[in-house]
Amino acid sequence: MRVSMKKTFSKRNMLGVKKGLNKAGVIAQKTGQVASAIAPVVALAGPEAMPAAAGLEAGGIALQGTGAALQAI
């Protein structure tokens, strides 16, 4: 009797992985856009909120870039 293992890589499985990565890219881009849009509102809270606003802006830009990279796969 032969013991076989399930194939971890197949073309059918690869389509699911690509679709999942594409969806993750879309979510990351939208999250980055929201973070970038909220940053100016946080900055209006005063000088003590400026580091948080800068962090939101940088994080939003990074998420948008990550999302674009994931969608390109």
Side-chain angles (χ1 to χ4, degrees), residues 2-43:
R2 194 167 138 191
V3 177
S4 64
M5 295 186 65
K6 183 180 176 187
K7 285 199 299 187
T8 56
F9 180 80
S10 66
K11 290 196 183 242
R12 187 181 68 181
N13 190 19
M14 188 64 186
L15 288 175
V17 170
K18 280 188 170 186
K19 187 173 182 181
L21 286 175
N22 189 9
K23 188 65 175 173
V26 168
I27 291 170
Q29 275 195 320
K30 291 204 180 285
T31 306
Q33 290 171 353
V34 169
S36 293
I38 290 175
V41 176
V42 172

Side-chain angles (χ1 to χ4, degrees), residues 48-72:
E48 62 277 351
M50 288 305 266
L56 276 172
E57 186 69 32
I61 291 171
L63 275 172
Q64 287 177 5
T66 303
L70 284 174
Q71 283 185 316

